[in-house]
Amino acid sequence: EKHQDIDLLTDDKWQINYLLNQKILKNSNGVLRPYVMINDNKISFDLRYVGDTYYDEKWSKHMLNRKILSENGFYRPNDEDYFYSLLYHCLIHKLKISSDYKIKLITLGKKIRLKNKLLESLNDSNNAKKILEVYLKKKKYRYTSSLFYKFSHNELTRITDVAIYTLKKEGIKYLLRAIKAKMENK
């Protein structure tokens, strides 16, 4: 409810838009977001796919391979992947752990049997980063923000592919607005 979108990880970046029958919504900040109509509600999606450098490519594949079917009938990450990907999201993408994420992380941390001392250390971002680093090193996952990772995973090729696809599907005005919005977010 607080985050206003659904995050979706897929291994098929081209078909997901068709499967969801997405449309484009311009939010209050002027940012264009994909959405799907569900029960007369516009639901925004934040689409991620294997190889998009949001998470380590190896980790993204592992998350999809280890997914579990939720009680609500959709797939979600297992509790360990959920905890660490959310921690990564907070520390790397959001640059901090907000209070609502902290509550979710503590709940998930208890499910995966993290010690209370580790869960308490989530209050300090340096300690939280150490928890994340230990996990990434153990699993041999890498931070996707490093220059080495971007070059070794063809980031330029990915950006070019997405730009060409967007240009074909949405036109030059949409592409330029998307580039401008991306630049303003960084």
Side-chain angles (χ1 to χ4, degrees):
E1 293 173 3
K2 293 181 182 179
H3 298 282
Q4 310 211 352
D5 67 3
I6 295 173
D7 295 334
L8 192 65
L9 175 64
T10 181
D11 58 358
D12 191 338
K13 68 180 179 180
W14 303 114
Q15 293 297 318
I16 194 66
N17 295 316
Y18 298 106
L19 293 172
L20 291 175
N21 192 22
Q22 289 190 113
K23 303 196 181 347
I24 302 298
L25 172 70
K26 188 174 188 176
N27 71 13
S28 59
N29 297 332
V31 176
L32 301 171
R33 301 286 305 217
Y35 74 92
V36 174
M37 291 300 295
I38 300 173
N39 294 333
D40 295 326
N41 295 309
K42 290 180 181 178
I43 308 297
S44 286
F45 280 82
D46 193 359
L47 300 177
R48 300 292 168 200
Y49 54 88
V50 173
D52 70 356
T53 71
Y54 198 74
Y55 295 109
D56 180 286
E57 185 173 354
K58 180 178 165 185
W59 192 6
S60 294
K61 288 177 183 177
H62 287 167
M63 279 193 267
L64 289 171
N65 289 335
R66 295 185 299 235
K67 68 188 180 287
I68 58 174
L69 187 62
S70 77
E71 59 278 357
N72 295 323
F74 59 87
Y75 287 103
R76 67 170 186 82
N78 69 30
D79 291 333
E80 180 179 298
D81 282 327
Y82 194 6
F83 175 85
Y84 287 104
S85 65
L86 187 58
L87 183 60
Y88 186 95
H89 176 64
C90 291
L91 295 173
I92 305 306
H93 303 131
K94 299 281 188 189
L95 306 176
K96 68 179 182 117
I97 302 174
S98 63
S99 58
D100 55 325
Y101 280 128
K102 194 174 298 180
I103 293 167
K104 186 68 175 171
L105 285 166
I106 289 170
T107 303
L108 287 165
K110 288 178 181 177
K111 281 184 170 183
I112 63 173
R113 295 184 172 89
L114 284 182
K115 295 178 181 172
N116 284 335
K117 187 175 181 179
L118 285 177
L119 294 175
E120 289 169 11
S121 68
L122 293 174
N123 292 318
D124 178 87
S125 62
N126 289 328
N127 289 334
K129 284 182 183 178
K130 288 177 187 173
I131 294 169
L132 179 61
E133 286 173 11
V134 167
Y135 177 77
L136 294 175
K137 187 174 182 179
K138 176 182 162 190
K139 295 291 190 173
K140 297 184 174 131
Y141 301 147
R142 293 178 288 172
Y143 289 102
T144 59
S145 56
S146 73
L147 198 53
F148 175 77
Y149 188 91
K150 289 181 180 194
F151 278 120
S152 66
H153 285 79
N154 296 319
E155 180 70 359
L156 186 58
T157 303
R158 183 193 70 81
I159 291 170
T160 303
D161 285 349
V162 170
I164 291 168
Y165 178 80
T166 303
L167 183 62
K168 286 180 180 177
K169 289 295 183 187
E170 305 297 334
I172 188 72
K173 286 183 181 179
Y174 178 88
L175 176 61
L176 293 174
R177 282 193 304 257
I179 290 169
K180 181 182 176 196
K182 187 70 171 170
M183 291 171 58
E184 288 172 354
N185 284 339
K186 290 201 174 203

